[in-house]
Amino acid sequence: MKSLLIVLAVACGVGSQWVTAQAADNPDLAHAVRTAPVGLPLDKLLTTQAPQNSAELLDSPSMAKSIALITRDQPATATGQAGSVWSQDGGQDAVQAKLNLKQDKKIGLWLYFGDKGQAAADGLAFVLHNSPQQARAQSHAGQSLGVWGTDKTPLVTEPLAVAQSAIQNSWALEFDTHVNRTPLPGMHGFFDGDPTVPNGMHVDHGYPGTASSYVQLGAAQQHYYGLKPTQPRPVSNLADGRWHHLTVKWQAQESVLVYQLNDKDAAGNFQSKDDYLAGQIRVDQQQFAVNGSVPNGVFWGVTGATSTAGSENGLVVVDQLSDTPKFDKLGAVVRDVTGLHSMEEGGRLIRAGDKIDPGHRVRYTFRTRYTGKTELAGVKIDVPLPKEIKWRRARVALQMSDDLFFEESTLQGDRFQYQLQRSMTANVPHARNTLLVSIEGTVRPTSRMVRMPPVIGNFYGPDYRSPSATIPYLINGQSDLQVANLGKDEIHAVADKHALIAGRLTNGRDPLTHEEWEDSHVKVTLNNRVVGQPQVTQARQPGSQPGDFHVSIPIDSLKMGRNIVTISADDGYGNVTRRPFSVHVIKQAGQLQFTQVPKDSTFKTTQLSGSRQLIQRHLNWGLKIRDTREAGRSWKLAVRLSEPFATTAQRQLSGNLAWVQKKQTTHIKADEAFPIPASPKGQAEIDVTRSWAANEGLMLNVNNDAVAGEYAGQLTWELYDAP
C-alpha cells in the first residue's frame, strides 16, 4: 500500500522567466552570484523602496530573488552608493516580517564584501530602526554605510546636525571594511579616527540617530566629525571573495542582541566557538521610541555604502528566520528506472560518483515534511531541469490528496514550477504534511563523460524555503579521446635543461572542457618504462585550449644518445586514447666551459706608502664556469700571470699576485699556474669571483720599493677536466 497516495497541484507557470544576473564586466559579482549559499526568496520578505537606493534583488542559481545586491563594484564611476533592504510591513502579499521586540527571534544571513581585501570600501551594517521614514529609511554613501550621519560641510557646528542626517530611532551593527582616518574638514572621512579603532576591518555598534554618537573636531568653520566607538573589534579579511555567515539572536526578555560572525563555513557547517567572532549587546529600546513610546516592532535590514574613492560588491542572502514555517528535509534521490513502467516505484539508487549510460531513464525525487502547527497555504515547488536529460513526465504527491501527473509537453522549460491549491497541515488526524515531487526523463546521447552536479529542489513560500539536493553522478558518454604532438618528432635535449614536449588532448575534434582536463591523466613512458609521476603542466600561453599540456623530461633521466618518449592519456573514467604519439629525444654529451671571462679587470688605485701593501680588486672580475656533463664529473681552475705587470716604458712592477684566504697570504710566482679553490656544489653554472670577499681572493702585492705609475699585465685562466 502506498504511503503517499494522492496529489493536488495547480501549475503556476511552466518554464522559468528567472534570469541569473549576468556580470561580464564585473567578474567578482558573477562569482558571488554563482557561489551564493541557499537562501530564502526575498521579494515578499524584504523591500528596496528607499529613494536613491542602490540595492536590488538578484536571482541565485537555485532560487529567484534570493540575493540582495546592496552595492555594486563600479570602479569606472566615481560616485558613492548607499543601499538598503528592510523587512516588509505586510500588505499586497508581502510578509509581516518586522522584528517584534517582545518576542525572541533569530535571523541567519550570509554577507559578501567583494574580493578587494584592504582596498575594499566601505562595508555593510545590520540595522534595527523605527524611523518615521519606515521602509524608505536610508542615510548616505561612504563612511556612513547608509545608516550613520554625515558632515558634508565644514560649517556644521553641532553633532546633533550630523545625527539628524542618520537613520532616526536606530541601532546599527557595522561591518566596516574601510578605515576612515582623513582629518579634512567637510570630507566626511574621519569616523574611524579614534585610537581605539583597529587599523583595519572591524565590527562595532551604536545609535546612528543620537548626537552623543559623534564628536566634533577641527576649528570654527573647519569642523569635521568622528564617530565615538562603542566596542570596536578587529576582524580578519572580510573582502576575500567569500560569503561570511552572520547569526543574529534577539533575546526579548533581556533586550539583548547576540551576534555570531563566521559561525558557519562555506558548506554551511557550524564552526566551533574558537573559530568565529561573537558579541552580546544590550540594546536600549528607548532609542526606538517616538514621543516616549517604545514600539512593539521595528524594521530590521542591511545597509551598505561605497565612496567616490572606491567601491565593492556588497550582497546579502537570508537563510534563516526563527518564526517562519518549519520543515523536516527528507532528502532527494536519483534512481535509474530503466525498464520500469511509467512512474512505477523502484529502480537502482544512484550514489555519488555512479555512472548512468545515455538512453537510460532516470527519476529525480524530492520530499519534504511540514511540521508546523497551523495550516500552510500556497506552497510553491521549483525544481531545475538539467538540459542533459529529455524530461518526459512528472508527478506531484501531497499526502492524503489526489496525485497529479504532467507529461512531456509541460516540461519544455529549464524549471518545473507549481503551486499547491491544498493547504499543508501537521499534528492533526489524516494530516497532509508530506509533499513529494518525482520527475522522469531519458539521458540524452553524448560523446563525452558528463559530471552531473547536485540539483536543488525547493519547496517555498514568501518567507520560508525547504531545499533538498540530489547527489552528483556521471553520465557515461563514450568519449573519443585523442592525443596529438604539437611539437617536433625529434628534439635535442639542451645540456642542463629538461626536455619539453608539447601535446594536445581532445575529445574527437572537440576541445576538452576545464572539468574534463582536471579529470584526465597524461601518461608517459620513457624507453618503454612507465614514468611513475610525470611532470605534466597545463599550457597557459594565448590561444591554448584546456587540453594543451607540456611534459617535462628531466635531463638526468635520459640516457646518452636517442631516447623514445611515448605520450598517452585517459579521461579518469576508463576511456583511453586510441593512438599515443612518440617523440625521439637526443641527449648529447655535455660541456665544461667558461661562460664569462673578465677582459679588463683592474685593481684599485692606491697611494704608495713606502711599505709592502696588498691592493684590493675593483668589481669587474666576473668569472663564470658552466658544467653540463653527466653528474659526478669534476674540474679544476688555475690562474697564471702570463705577462708581468709593467708600464708602457717597460718598467716592471716591484710586486706580484697574491691569494688571500682566511687572513693567510700566498704569493704567486710569475708564470706559475696557481690553483684557485672553487666548489661547484652540483650547480650547472657558478660565478667563481662573486664568492670572494673584498679583502680576500686574488689581490696585488706591491713591495716597499715599488715606483708609482700605471701598470698593466695579462692573466691567463686555465680550466682542467680533472678530478
Side-chain angles (χ1 to χ4, degrees), residues 501-516:
I501 299 172
R504 171 173 289 170
L505 190 60
T506 60
N507 185 3
R509 296 183 179 180
D510 297 329
L512 297 187
T513 65
H514 289 283
E515 292 77 12
E516 287 172 335

Side-chain angles (χ1 to χ4, degrees), residues 48 337 396 650:
T48 60
V337 293
V396 179
Q650 301 302 313

Side-chain angles (χ1 to χ4, degrees), residues 296-409:
N296 287 334
V298 295
F299 289 92
W300 64 269
V302 176
T303 67
T306 66
S307 70
T308 57
S311 59
E312 68 185 10
N313 293 310
L315 298 93
V316 179
V317 167
V318 180
D319 72 334
Q320 183 182 14
L321 293 175
S322 59
D323 51 357
T324 58
K326 298 298 184 293
F327 292 82
D328 285 339
K329 299 175 184 178
L330 302 182
V333 296
V334 179
R335 293 182 182 273
D336 185 340
V337 293
T338 305
L340 297 182
H341 295 293
S342 178
M343 305 307 285
E344 180 182 351
E345 297 294 335
R348 177 174 70 95
L349 178 65
I350 302 302
R351 303 185 185 279
D354 283 358
K355 299 177 183 178
I356 296 180
D357 292 331
H360 279 223
R361 191 155 51 94
V362 294
R363 179 187 299 152
Y364 283 61
T365 301
F366 304 85
R367 291 198 304 160
T368 192
R369 180 187 294 124
Y370 174 56
T371 58
K373 297 180 179 180
T374 61
E375 287 197 1
L376 184 64
V379 176
K380 296 180 181 179
I381 300 166
D382 174 78
V383 179
L385 300 177
K387 64 181 183 302
E388 292 83 1
I389 298 171
K390 184 173 179 59
W391 299 99
R392 303 287 189 182
R393 56 184 63 88
R395 170 184 173 227
V396 179
L398 176 62
Q399 190 178 18
M400 305 305 296
S401 300
D402 294 329
D403 284 7
L404 187 62
F405 295 91
F406 304 91
E407 297 302 321
E408 181 178 344
S409 60

Side-chain angles (χ1 to χ4, degrees), residues 151-192:
D151 57 331
K152 290 185 177 181
T153 168
L155 302 179
V156 175
T157 59
E158 294 293 337
L160 179 60
V162 178
Q164 287 175 339
S165 66
I167 294 180
Q168 299 301 291
N169 310 324
S170 65
W171 174 88
L173 175 67
E174 69 167 18
F175 303 91
D176 196 330
T177 56
H178 181 80
V179 178
N180 299 97
R181 298 187 189 274
T182 306
L184 295 176
M187 292 297 291
H188 46 93
F190 199 66
F191 271 12
D192 302 319

Side-chain angles (χ1 to χ4, degrees), residues 496 591 593 625-628 635 680-686:
D496 63 331
Q591 293 180 311
Q593 59 184 348
I625 297 172
R626 190 177 186 84
D627 186 5
T628 57
W635 50 264
K681 296 181 180 179
Q683 302 176 60
E685 184 176 68
I686 66 168

